[in-house]
Amino acid sequence: MTDKRALRARMRAIREAHGPGLLPVARAFLDRLLPGQVVSAYRPLGAEADPALWVEAALHAGATIALPHVVDRASPIRFIPWMLGQELTVGAFGLHQPDPDGPECAPDIILTPLVGFDRRGNRLGQGAGHYDRAFAAHTDAWRVGLAWAVQEVEMPTPDAWDVPLHAIATETEWIVP
């Protein structure tokens, strides 16, 4: 079995070597958007796939955008509504986050940055379990991982708490496990 810590380090290096960029919006995402939905996105760190075009498409469809707010490793993610142009603060782990006093909301779609992924919908995240706990708390949300094609990897057997993705989008394809 592959050590997840070593795999994370290798996959981060691969992602950083790829470099940052905007991820093209997948047709399946556009087809799923409805006015009034809450779409959780994120502000990319380093070379994470940038969902800015996805945010733009969601706003155009009449959705509300929420961004994750993280306090520390143990506390759960809170999804807080965010409007284009609204100021963000740098919080835990260098995340660009909305005002922590904002109201929490329940996302209908969760766009998730990935360190690695496989075609079975398994994901390799940062290792703190924030998104797995968010997925477990928001079971009806559509879980979509965003990554570069070079981040595909043979994943170790998932742990009991790992929640699979419904889909993965890369710059080259839309993957449905």
Side-chain angles (χ1 to χ4, degrees), residues 92-147:
F93 312 108
L95 299 174
H96 291 86
Q97 307 182 134
D99 181 354
D101 295 328
E104 191 168 350
C105 62
D108 299 296
I109 299 173
I110 301 175
L111 302 177
T112 309
L114 303 178
V115 174
F117 69 91
D118 68 18
R119 291 187 175 262
R120 295 182 312 271
N122 297 310
R123 56 178 281 282
L124 187 65
Q126 295 293 348
H130 286 111
Y131 276 100
D132 287 314
R133 291 191 307 264
F135 295 162
H138 302 284
T139 57
D140 292 336
W142 191 43
R143 304 178 299 272
V144 180
L146 304 182

Side-chain angles (χ1 to χ4, degrees), residues 20-173:
L22 293 170
L23 190 71
V25 180
R27 167 55 52 195
F29 175 73
L30 295 173
D31 291 345
R32 185 98 176 209
L33 289 173
L34 296 170
Q37 282 180 321
V38 176
V39 176
S40 171
Y42 59 91
R43 295 295 296 267
L45 291 176
E48 288 177 342
D50 189 337
L53 298 174
W54 298 60
V55 167
E56 186 178 301
L59 289 170
H60 183 72
T64 297
I65 300 300
L67 295 179
H69 186 275
V70 176
V71 176
D72 55 35
R73 190 172 178 83
S75 300
I77 287 177
R78 293 177 55 233
F79 295 103
I80 299 174
W82 174 77
M83 293 180 4
L84 199 57
Q86 183 180 351
E87 189 173 322
L88 298 172
T89 60
V90 178
F93 312 108
L95 299 174
H96 291 86
Q97 307 182 134
D99 181 354
D101 295 328
E104 191 168 350
C105 62
D108 299 296
I109 299 173
I110 301 175
L111 302 177
T112 309
L114 303 178
V115 174
F117 69 91
D118 68 18
R119 291 187 175 262
R120 295 182 312 271
N122 297 310
R123 56 178 281 282
L124 187 65
Q126 295 293 348
H130 286 111
Y131 276 100
D132 287 314
R133 291 191 307 264
F135 295 162
H138 302 284
T139 57
D140 292 336
W142 191 43
R143 304 178 299 272
V144 180
L146 304 182
W148 305 117
V150 297
Q151 293 176 251
E152 185 174 351
V153 65
E154 185 59 37
M155 294 283 290
T157 302
D159 292 313
W161 56 83
D162 289 336
V163 179
L165 298 164
H166 292 116
I168 299 113
T170 74
E171 74 279 17
T172 61
E173 66 181 315

